[in-house]
Amino acid sequence: MIKNYFKLPLRHLFKNKVFSLINIIGLAIGLSCSFLIFLHVYTELSYDKHFDNAENIYRMAVKSSMADNEFEAAVTGGPLAKILQDELPEITGHTRLREGRMTLLSTEEKAFYEENILYADSTFFDIFSYEIIAGDYYKSLTHPYSLVLTEEFANKFFGDENPIGKKIKWNNTQNYIVTAVIRDPVEKSHLNFDILVSFSTLYQNERYRNLLESLFAYMSLNYIQIHPDANIDDLETKIAGVVDKHMGERLATYGGKYDVFLQPVTGIYLHSDLLHEMRTTSDISLVYIFTAVAILILIIACINFINLSTAKSAKRSLEVGVRKVFGADRGSLFRQFISESVLIVIISFILAII
């Protein structure tokens, strides 16, 4: 009996090849379009979620005004994160980043211009988790003129050689030392780099040193890691108090405003469009639009499938009558038609996946 529920639908499909082909292809196209859109939506929603403790990592951003010039920026004063960690127990870690410029990097055999350069604090790997391939994971960014390369960039420069301890000349002037190699970063991140340079390298330039130590110089991307039990609203209130303590007097003198707010690292890509973003971000509204389009396509495909099946059923009244004469009850007829629909859906689903 069960065997017939597979045999009869197949016989019906082969008997009505054109109708079956139109129904299967139409549903498969609708399903495949929906799947592709949902995959894109999933990718957009998964940015920066691969980091360990990602839910506890926040970027400090600022809403500021100076001389009637209001703006929101992803950069804040260099020492701000360290000051906050020293004074607020809810903050368990911090790190600073700064984007580099396009630079000529060279060895004796090779030379490349590279623009995906990021200056990173020695605490970078305490906050952001990357897989280490070679070198000392936690001490690799401690000393000035230290470089951490991604696997791809290390292979481009040194091939199969061990790059640890090798020298790379920076703009034909200073030699930098490779201290570690990490696995290529996941693309689904607002962080974008091929090379990490120790943040302490910037301090070798006196002009940079003074700016990096100023709370009023928007020079650094500051990240903090907070205790899992910390309340964000309460923490932002406390941060405002610390900012007022260290900057309030000078801000009052110039009539400036400096409001720090926290951005979850997992929400930066879709919910942030500030000055000095590290890379082009997207918009959560686009995710909603794509999701709605995918659902609409799926609904249209289903309606089309139902309409075609309904139109065909009118021509099968004779078949139904004959089956009833031979003793077929309502339940068996229902199971037969359902099995035919299920078979078409399964074939369409497989085609859509392919």
Side-chain angles (χ1 to χ4, degrees), residues 78 153 198 230 240:
F153 198 84
S198 57

Side-chain angles (χ1 to χ4, degrees), residues 278-328:
M278 198 174 302
R279 66 183 300 176
T280 303
T281 56
S282 186
D283 193 330
I284 189 64
S285 61
L286 294 177
V287 171
Y288 295 146
I289 292 171
F290 278 119
T291 302
V293 169
I295 293 173
L296 184 62
I297 290 173
L298 199 56
I299 291 173
I300 291 173
C302 291
I303 291 173
N304 184 58
F305 173 76
I306 292 169
N307 286 340
L308 287 172
S309 299
T310 303
K312 186 66 178 176
S313 65
K315 297 182 179 181
R316 301 185 66 183
S317 55
L318 178 61
E319 177 189 345
V320 172
V322 171
R323 289 184 182 279
K324 283 186 175 181
V325 169
F326 281 93

Side-chain angles (χ1 to χ4, degrees), residues 253-288:
T253 302
Y254 295 100
K257 185 180 178 183
Y258 194 96
D259 294 327
V260 174
F261 60 96
L262 301 180
Q263 296 180 296
V265 73
T266 54
I268 290 174
Y269 180 71
L270 288 176
H271 297 275
S272 181
D273 185 22
L274 308 180
L275 292 175
H276 304 294
E277 291 285 358
M278 198 174 302
R279 66 183 300 176
T280 303
T281 56
S282 186
D283 193 330
I284 189 64
S285 61
L286 294 177
V287 171
Y288 295 146

Side-chain angles (χ1 to χ4, degrees), residues 206-222:
E206 186 175 350
R207 179 171 60 88
Y208 271 119
R209 187 186 313 139
N210 295 331
L211 290 173
L212 292 170
E213 288 303 314
S214 172
L215 285 169
F216 295 89
Y218 301 94
M219 293 283 290
S220 304
L221 293 147
N222 277 295

Side-chain angles (χ1 to χ4, degrees), residues 212-254:
L212 292 170
E213 288 303 314
S214 172
L215 285 169
F216 295 89
Y218 301 94
M219 293 283 290
S220 304
L221 293 147
N222 277 295
Y223 294 82
I224 59 173
Q225 183 170 302
I226 68 169
H227 193 279
D229 297 329
N231 182 283
I232 297 302
D233 292 333
D234 292 343
L235 181 58
E236 286 186 325
T237 301
K238 292 180 179 180
I239 288 174
V242 175
V243 169
D244 184 64
K245 172 184 172 182
H246 291 272
M247 303 175 65
E249 184 177 345
R250 187 170 172 185
L251 285 170
T253 302
Y254 295 100

